[in-house]
Amino acid sequence: MQDGARPHRTEKVFRFLDEYFGNRVIALDYPKFTGTGMDWPPYSPDLTPCDYFLWGALKETVYGNHPSTLDELESAICVPCNSISVETSKDVMTNFILRLRHLIFSNGEHFENIVFRLQ
């Protein structure tokens, strides 16, 4: 879910997720549909690395050249993704672990105002 877009929670999407990821999915209403996985924690904006790191890191690069075709858009996304260093990836995952620990410590409460820094 990005920029206020509604999450894709159709039966077709849940079946796809269940087929490929099984009980490793964290998504709103997913456990109700499949009986597996984990419901999306309430009040947890920017919990995943894509939310708190990737979209912000790529947005300017991807849209800076104003891609006008799907091929240009794909290239504008893939090239910078492939250039993310191993060290940056490690920092992002360390940050993700800290966020999950904070979520557990706060008993699922809202923690948007806490700033987690990448090294």
Side-chain angles (χ1 to χ4, degrees):
M1 191 164 82
Q2 180 68 13
D3 296 333
R6 294 185 49 81
H8 301 288
R9 296 184 299 147
T10 64
E11 181 177 339
K12 187 175 180 178
V13 170
F14 283 157
R15 288 198 192 287
F16 173 84
L17 292 172
D18 189 51
E19 180 180 337
Y20 286 93
F21 302 106
N23 67 349
R24 297 176 295 160
V25 175
I26 301 174
L28 185 62
D29 292 335
Y30 184 78
K32 292 177 194 171
F33 177 79
T34 64
T36 64
M38 181 177 174
D39 214 359
W40 188 256
Y43 311 113
S44 57
D46 299 334
L47 181 61
T48 66
C50 287
D51 287 333
Y52 70 81
F53 168 72
L54 189 60
W55 303 143
L58 296 181
K59 194 172 187 177
E60 187 175 318
T61 304
V62 169
Y63 294 111
N65 293 326
H66 308 287
S68 58
T69 67
L70 285 178
D71 287 338
E72 288 176 5
L73 179 60
E74 181 178 0
S75 178
I77 293 169
C78 290
V79 169
C81 279
N82 290 332
S83 70
I84 296 171
S85 72
V86 172
E87 286 305 312
T88 297
S89 296
K90 287 179 182 178
D91 289 344
V92 168
M93 294 316 298
T94 298
N95 190 287
F96 180 54
I97 292 167
L98 292 173
R99 286 169 184 268
L100 292 175
R101 286 183 179 154
H102 191 78
L103 180 67
I104 292 167
F105 179 75
S106 68
N107 200 28
E109 294 295 319
H110 189 69
F111 61 91
E112 181 177 23
N113 294 329
I114 293 176
V115 176
F116 296 90
R117 298 183 197 280
L118 294 176
Q119 305 290 28

